[in-house]
Structures are given as C-alpha cells and as structure tokens.
Amino acid sequence: MSLFAPLANSWIASQRPYQPGRPIEEVARELGLGDVEGIVKLASNENALGPSPKAQEAMRKAIPQMHLYPDGGSFYLRQAIAKKYGISDDMTMLGCGCNEHAVLLAHAFMDKGDNWVVSERSFVVYKLVASLYHCQCIEAPMKGMTHDLDAMLAAITPRTKAVVVGNPNNPTGTMVSQADVDRFVDAVPASVVTVFDEAYMELVDPRNQVDTLKHVKAGKKPVVTLRTFSKAYGLAGLRVGYAMAQPDGIDLLNKVRQAFNVNAMAQAAAVAALEDDAHLDATRKMLVAGRAQLMDGMRKLGLDPVESVTNFILFPFQKAAGLTAALTKRKVIVRPMAGFGLPEHVRVSVGTAQENAQFLRALSEALIELR
Ligand SMILES: Cc1ncc(COP(=O)(O)O)c(C=O)c1O
C-alpha cells in the first residue's frame, strides 16, 4: 500500500537515489564472512593511507567535549583555511562534505525551470540535486574523457544559474589546464555562477595544480571554488568540505545551511589535517606509485585505462556489472559506472601497493572467468 507516494512532489517521486560505493561491511555479509578482514574497498576514492595522524590526535583530544553543540560558524577552521589560502575568513564556509555545497548552491540560486550546466561524464550528484529543485541539468559533450569548456559555454541558456566544472573530473580522472580555465572564467556571463569542484585538486602534482582562487580573489566574476577533507586528508567519514568565494556569495550559502551542519569532531580534525603536510606528501607519493602500478598491471591484462591525475582510474569494460561482481566475489570492491552514464566502464580507486596488487590478482582471475 502506498501511503506517502501519492503525497510526494512529482519530481521527487521519480528521483533515483545516489548509489554510493558499497561499504566493506555489506560485502562481508554478502560473502558470508564473519568480519571485514581481507576485503579491499577501492570504490569511493578514499585515502588509502587513512586519516592524517594529526587529525586522529585532534579527534582523541576532542572526545570529552562531544556533549556540546559544535561552533556553528566553524571559526577556527575558517581561520585555518583563510590562512592557508591567503583569503579573509568571510570568504569561506563549511559544509557537510562538499556534497552539501551542491545542495546549498541549488538552494541559493536555482528556481523551478532554471538549469545548471555540467559535463556529460561528471560527478552525478549535480544531476541529482538539480532535479530535487525541479531544475534541469544540461550535460555538455566532452572531448573524449576531458571537459570541453567551449561546449559547456555553448550549453549556457538564459535560464542557466551555474556552470559546474569538476577539476580534476570524477569519474574520468582528467583535468583541464590553467589557460583553459582562465579563458573560461572570462567568457562565462556574469549572470552565471562558475563553480569549480576541486574535490581532488590537492592530490594532483603541485606543479600541475590549477589556481582558481585567483579568480575568486579578483572578485570580477561570481566564482566559487569547492574543496573537501574527504580525499587528500583522508577524512571522508567525518563529512567536511568548504567553499571559497567573495563574501557576498559566502553570505548567501550561509543563509541556506543548517546552523550546525559541520560537527565538532570534524572541525577539530580538519584544523589539524590542514597542517599535516607530511601526510599530504605521503599521500601524493603513494598515488604516483599506485597509478603506475595499476596502469601497468591493467595494460598487461589487455585493458585500456584512462590516464589519471588523481586517486582513481577509469577503464572501459563491456561487461562492467559482471566484472564488478566477479571482483566482489574475490574481496575487491570497485565501482561500476552505469550511474555516471558510463555503463561499459569501471572505476577503481588507487590503494596501497598491497591493495593494488590484490586488485590486479583478482582482476586477472575475473577476466579469465568473463572472457
Ligand atoms: C567531484 C566530486 N565532488 C564532490 C565530492 C563530494 O565530496 P564530499 O565527500 O566532500 O562530499 C566527490 C566525492 O566523491 C566528488 O567526486
């Protein structure tokens, strides 16, 4: 019996929920295992080195204060971000992961019938959020596996409120250059918010990182840069991300968030993580070695993975769902990409050397089973 469905907003009733990477515990239950030992999760682009040790220490210290509500303004964390990036603390605000910023941006800027423009193979959350607000998400074509910023510009309509560039892009692992980004910011009309989702930027070789903050600081165009503690800092479980923009943009996002959207443990850990350069360096080193190990191993198995600048690798495989299931049976969780509009692709996150080796062993067995 349908009690609620007839009462729901029509555009919500048809909404398909986001399909996250499967948790290790769920796979352990499916495989009939007593515990999670030996299962490797390479499905959600987490940091295989774990949380920053400094963040872990800060969390232990924060435990006795957990009966208190958090600082709703995340004062110390905003100060730390402001110091790191050379901005004032009214140019940043925190969210429950930068996933929340997708919702806050829609809340602040989108009205029924508006749209935002993304690339066709990009982070699916922007598509889901647009439909929640009874809005469209226009998907511009890509050049192969890389954003085509000219196509994104061409896709802008009079009802476009924002254009969202994931850089590096999930799930393709590719990046657009500084020169392309600079040209793009100049060309986007001032009536459209330009959002750079840089969830993976800190993982890129610092020599190749793209600076969008200079456009935020310049204050000539409505530009928002999003970052997260989920990837480079290994704090995905805490759910904390941040936006950087001119103060009037930050004011708007603050108006539409919940008062205590970032918990106290997350704030304490994130302040400490921002100072942990050693952990970030170790993470980048692990990724350089891990990408080489995975690319080489996959190519030797006859696959054609997409060159990645970050902590995951996309590869085409016709029986993607079958391959995912065959790997799960072998205790390796990866992500089939049907939900991202790539039904014949699989994405694997870069793990430790040992995890990557386990993936490659499982992959070679799975390919024999499926070919
Ligand atoms: C491109 C992109 N943006 C944002 C996010 C969300 O990050 P957070 O964990 O901060 O919500 C992800 C997570 O996978 C992502 O891939």
Side-chain angles (χ1 to χ4, degrees):
M1 188 178 55
S2 244
L3 277 180
F4 294 95
L7 311 178
N9 289 327
S10 57
W11 61 97
I12 301 300
S14 58
Q15 179 89 0
R16 272 184 300 143
Y18 179 68
Q19 293 286 328
R22 298 184 69 195
I24 295 182
E25 291 76 9
E26 184 186 305
V27 169
R29 281 196 300 276
E30 178 184 299
L31 297 177
L33 301 173
D35 63 43
V36 301
E37 200 55 35
I39 299 177
V40 170
K41 184 184 179 203
L42 299 174
S44 301
N45 307 337
E46 291 137 337
N47 188 330
L49 291 187
S52 133
K54 287 193 175 176
Q56 294 190 43
E57 181 54 29
M59 285 190 268
R60 277 190 286 274
K61 280 201 187 127
I63 291 171
Q65 298 304 314
M66 284 305 119
H67 59 302
L68 300 176
Y69 280 99
D71 170 4
S74 301
F75 177 80
Y76 292 109
L77 184 49
R78 280 190 301 109
Q79 294 263 306
I81 293 167
K83 186 166 154 226
K84 186 171 180 81
Y85 292 105
I87 56 176
S88 54
D89 64 1
D90 57 357
M91 289 176 71
T92 187
M93 59 86 62
L94 280 299
C96 178
C98 64
N99 253 323
E100 189 186 13
H101 290 99
V103 177
L104 299 180
L105 286 161
H107 218 37
F109 297 107
M110 308 268 275
D111 199 0
K112 183 178 171 182
D114 288 339
N115 66 66
W116 54 26
V117 172
V118 302
S119 272
E120 56 184 338
R121 296 167 194 137
S122 61
F123 189 43
V124 70
V125 160
Y126 292 99
K127 295 170 204 173
L128 301 178
V129 170
S131 57
L132 278 184
Y133 285 82
H134 217 178
C135 294
Q136 275 88 46
C137 185
I138 298 178
E139 295 178 48
M142 295 176 88
K143 277 189 207 141
M145 289 293 173
T146 309
H147 295 309
D148 181 343
L149 296 182
D150 290 330
M152 294 183 85
L153 276 175
I156 290 173
T157 73
R159 295 296 303 268
T160 300
K161 288 296 180 64
V163 56
V164 185
V165 182
N167 203 34
N169 185 49
N170 176 19
T172 59
T174 55
M175 201 166 89
V176 280
S177 70
Q178 183 76 55
D180 287 346
V181 161
D182 293 346
R183 236 177 5 97
F184 182 72
V185 171
D186 282 346
V188 175
S191 56
V192 175
V193 178
T194 302
V195 180
F196 290 105
D197 178 336
E198 297 183 351
Y200 300 93
M201 187 61 87
E202 296 97 332
L203 297 173
V204 174
D205 181 331
R207 290 167 300 183
N208 301 329
Q209 290 184 11
V210 170
D211 177 15
T212 56
L213 210 50
K214 70 175 182 183
H215 297 296
V216 169
K217 288 177 183 170
K220 292 194 183 123
K221 288 283 183 70
V223 175
V224 180
T225 296
L226 302 180
R227 294 275 179 112
T228 182
F229 287 90
S230 297
K231 311 295 179 184
Y233 298 101
L235 300 177
L238 290 178
R239 314 302 304 122
V240 53
Y242 53 106
M244 294 181 283
Q246 283 291 321
D248 70 321
I250 294 298
D251 271 357
L252 285 168
L253 297 179
N254 273 322
K255 279 185 190 179
V256 294
R257 72 173 172 87
Q258 294 297 307
F260 301 119
N261 62 334
V262 179
N263 69 72
M265 192 66 93
Q267 291 183 37
V271 168
L274 265 188
E275 287 168 6
D276 198 345
D277 291 336
H279 187 258
L280 190 54
D281 282 350
T283 300
R284 287 193 195 117
K285 283 204 182 88
M286 173 194 67
L287 291 180
V288 172
R291 281 196 303 262
Q293 182 187 6
L294 288 173
M295 295 295 282
D296 186 49
M298 284 194 274
R299 283 177 179 143
K300 283 190 177 131
L301 292 170
L303 298 171
D304 184 21
V306 179
E307 202 71 59
S308 165
V309 298
T310 184
N311 71 342
F312 54 86
I313 296 174
L314 183 73
F315 60 96
F317 194 79
Q318 211 180 6
K319 297 177 199 157
L323 181 62
T324 306
L327 289 170
T328 307
K329 245 181 9 194
R330 292 169 174 85
K331 298 189 176 179
V332 177
I333 314 172
V334 295
R335 194 82 165 269
M337 288 284 107
F340 282 62
L342 289 161
E344 296 187 351
H345 286 74
V346 176
R347 192 192 66 197
V348 59
S349 306
V350 181
T352 60
Q354 205 183 353
E355 290 170 336
N356 299 335
Q358 183 174 337
F359 162 73
L360 290 170
R361 267 195 310 276
L363 182 63
S364 87
E365 289 175 19
L367 290 175
I368 292 167
E369 185 183 312
L370 292 169
R371 273 177 174 159

